[in-house]
């Protein structure tokens, strides 16, 4: 009847048999979380030959979880648990580190923007990488790629001096309250640039540029040698049709998630010089 149920398997004894008795999946989660895990599972089942990473490593995106009064805080890496693996961005190219985002189908674009923001530090440390947007519907693929280009690709592949100059210009315009209607792209850029260029050096340069002590030409000369060569690739993956649709209990009544009947596909973007591709 195009309906299904989710059964929560939480027994520590069962998880202990695979040495994962502390796995977060034992805990209760929202429907949105479970939905994203089912989409993730579809991806894994369709790509079982990929070289996945599973263990936590130092200096990677992490989150601190506070325990009780008698316990110490716990640091967890890659808390989203989205697929992370090595793969080629396109046929014939060397494999690169591939990170991903799983769209549950019920999230807004702000979730994706926040996810990219949390990973910016890691992106800047990779010489080359690929990012894969995984979903059960392709409705947001184009918007996701536009967001990725704006927040990740352009800052990493562009002239650093130009990025710094734009940061100074947007920051001054914002400080002077020159925005009659806030421009979303500018505000997103400003927030990310504040994190990227947060140091006494950039603060002193901004003050000097603002009061006219140094010019735009001086700024460009200061950072003229900082032109990173880091190929960045973006792709999308549409998961297989759900054979057993998951029933969602809505406040307004019963309902079910509609099937996606489009075949899976891979799309790779922004190919650069293949000979210069490097792993993480």
């Amino acid at each position: 009847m195009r309906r299904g149920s989710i059964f929560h398997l939480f027994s520590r004894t069962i998880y202990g048999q695979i040495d994962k008795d502390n796995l977060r999946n034992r805990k209760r989660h929202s429907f949105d979380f479970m939905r994203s895990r089912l989409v993730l599972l579809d991806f894994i089942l369709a790509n079982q030959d990929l070289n996945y990473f599973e263990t936590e490593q130092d200096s990677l995106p992490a989150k601190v979880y506070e325990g009780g009064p008698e316990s110490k805080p716990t640091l967890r890496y890659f808390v989203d648990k989205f697929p992370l693996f090595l793969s080629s961005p396109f046929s014939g190219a060397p494999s690169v580190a591939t990170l991903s985002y799983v769209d549950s189908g019920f999230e807004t674009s702000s979730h994706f923007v926040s996810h990219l923001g949390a990973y910016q530090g890691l992106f800047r440390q990779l010489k080359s990488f690929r990012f894969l947007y995984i979903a059960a519907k392709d409705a947001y693929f184009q918007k996701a790629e536009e967001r990725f280009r704006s927040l990740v690709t352009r800052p990493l592949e562009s002239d650093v001096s130009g990025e710094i100059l734009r940061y100074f210009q947007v920051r001054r315009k914002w400080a002077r309250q020159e925005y009659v209607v806030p421009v979303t792209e500018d505000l997103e850029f400003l927030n990310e640039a504040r994190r990227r260029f947060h140091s006494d050096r950039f603060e002193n340069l901004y003050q000097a540029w603002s009061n006219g002590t140094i010019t735009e030409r001086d700024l460009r000369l200061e950072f003229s040698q900082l032109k990173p060569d880091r190929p960045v690739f973006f792709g999308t993956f549409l998961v297989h049709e759900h054979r057993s649709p998951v029933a969602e209990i809505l406040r307004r009544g019963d309902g079910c998630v509609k099937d996606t009947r489009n075949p899976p596909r891979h799309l790779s973007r922004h190919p650069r010089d293949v000979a210069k591709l490097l792993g993480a």
Side-chain angles (χ1 to χ4, degrees), residues 8 13 19 29 33 43 48 56 63 67 77 87 95 99 106 109 116 123-124 140 146 157 189 209 247 251-252 256 272:
H8 185 198
T13 301
D19 297 325
H29 293 286
F33 180 92
F43 175 82
Q48 298 182 48
E56 298 179 342
K63 185 174 182 179
Y77 297 94
S87 70
S95 296
L99 299 97
F106 297 96
S109 59
L116 295 179
F123 292 156
R124 290 195 292 270
Y140 297 108
E146 292 173 355
E157 294 187 339
F189 173 82
W209 175 82
R251 291 184 179 180
R252 299 179 181 177
C256 67
R272 296 286 298 274

Side-chain angles (χ1 to χ4, degrees), residues 120-230:
Q120 287 289 352
L122 176 60
F123 292 156
R124 290 195 292 270
Q125 298 301 318
L126 300 177
K127 294 181 179 179
S128 178
F129 68 94
R130 179 182 182 222
F131 193 94
L132 195 62
Y133 190 94
I134 304 168
K137 298 180 180 180
D138 59 4
Y140 297 108
F141 280 176
Q142 181 176 352
K143 177 61 70 174
E145 183 172 0
E146 292 173 355
R147 293 285 188 180
F148 187 83
R149 284 182 178 179
S150 174
L151 299 175
V152 179
T153 307
R154 290 172 185 168
L156 291 180
E157 294 187 339
S158 63
D159 180 359
V160 176
S161 64
E163 291 294 306
I164 295 173
L165 181 60
R166 183 189 173 193
Y167 165 51
F168 287 177
Q169 292 170 340
V170 173
R171 177 178 171 180
R172 183 172 64 180
K173 188 175 181 180
W174 179 258
R176 293 179 176 179
Q177 299 182 341
E178 296 179 12
Y179 285 95
V180 178
V181 177
V183 179
T184 302
E185 183 177 355
D186 281 359
L187 295 184
E188 290 176 351
F189 173 82
L190 180 61
N191 290 332
E192 171 55 22
R194 288 183 187 277
R195 291 192 291 268
R196 292 176 60 196
F197 307 122
H198 179 68
S199 70
D200 291 339
R201 179 189 182 190
F202 291 114
E203 185 62 29
N204 293 334
L205 285 173
Y206 172 72
Q207 298 300 332
W209 175 82
S210 295
N211 59 34
T213 304
I214 60 175
T215 65
E216 175 182 333
R217 181 175 180 276
D218 296 328
L219 274 177
R220 292 192 178 278
L221 288 175
E222 176 81 13
F223 300 97
S224 61
Q225 302 302 316
L226 299 179
K227 295 183 179 180
D229 184 11
R230 57 176 81 202

